[in-house]
Amino acid sequence: MSGPVRLLIVDDHPVVRDGLRGMFAGHPDFEVLGEAADGAEALVLARSLRPDVVLMDLRMPGMDGVTAIGHLLAAEPAPRVLVLTTYDTEGDVLPAVQAGATGYLLKDTPRDELFRAVRAAARGDSVLSPTVATRLMGRLRGPAETPLSQRELEVLTLVAKGATNREAAAHLFISEATVKTHLLHVYAKLGVKDRAAAVAVAFERGLLGPTGR
């Protein structure tokens, strides 16, 4: 493409937006068109500004990044979306990639690498941070290396059936605190951040049957 890459920065932290704006505005290859504090604001600005690349955070109040990616890519013309976030769990990476993000980088990416990634995204090339690429490769290769324990599976099965922590504790004759601990272990092993994602990934991997095991 000719001319500078036109950018829209989306992040709920003003300090992060200011830092990114200053970084890109000082480089002749880029033009920062605007900033948004959440996904909904990003959609409004993208329609009027027509950026080439949207630098998108994921976890934001209001409309989150993954939801915004889906709406942005349904527009015509659709911008490229490059995720720039702190989080690299499977529960964050997979939904963003599945929504159509062109790339996924972490906020500790060095400046020059970020510049190269934005140029690549503008061309339509996929860009992934090393840790994210490793997670995706692991996901393609199959289930997590660390299996869930029998008790963790029992807790997750009850959660999949809609049980609260208290109900699961009563059913298994353990404390509610123990249920929470088992769930935290499940989240870590499955690479997710909440109950819904844990259940979804468990079903995808065949850890739970159609009726909850």
Side-chain angles (χ1 to χ4, degrees), residues 55-130:
L55 274 179
M56 179 69 72
D57 193 13
L58 288 183
R59 300 189 191 181
M60 298 177 288
M63 183 184 291
D64 64 86
V66 171
T67 302
I69 291 171
H71 288 295
L72 285 168
L73 298 186
E76 185 61 44
R80 309 291 186 183
V81 180
L82 179 59
V83 171
L84 185 63
T85 184
T86 305
Y87 307 100
D88 65 349
T89 68
E90 188 173 293
D92 290 296
V93 174
L94 288 178
V97 172
Q98 290 168 346
T102 301
Y104 196 114
L105 297 179
L106 302 180
K107 287 181 179 176
D108 61 359
T109 300
R111 181 180 63 177
D112 289 344
E113 290 184 21
L114 180 57
F115 287 166
R116 285 194 291 270
V118 171
R119 294 189 195 98
R123 296 192 301 268
D125 297 335
S126 296
V127 186
L128 299 173
S129 73

Side-chain angles (χ1 to χ4, degrees), residues 122-195:
R123 296 192 301 268
D125 297 335
S126 296
V127 186
L128 299 173
S129 73
T131 56
V132 169
T134 298
R135 286 194 180 281
L136 288 177
M137 287 300 295
R139 179 68 177 86
L140 292 173
R141 287 173 182 149
E145 294 181 1
T146 306
L148 300 186
S149 69
Q150 183 60 38
R151 180 63 90 186
E152 288 163 356
L153 278 173
E154 290 171 350
V155 170
L156 188 56
T157 295
L158 291 170
V159 167
K161 293 178 179 179
T164 64
N165 288 356
R166 179 175 298 180
E167 291 168 342
H171 184 88
L172 296 173
F173 301 102
I174 57 179
S175 70
E176 190 172 347
T178 300
V179 169
K180 292 179 180 178
T181 298
H182 284 311
L183 283 175
L184 288 176
H185 291 164
V186 168
Y187 298 164
K189 290 179 178 181
L190 298 183
V192 299
K193 60 182 185 296
D194 57 38
R195 299 160 71 92

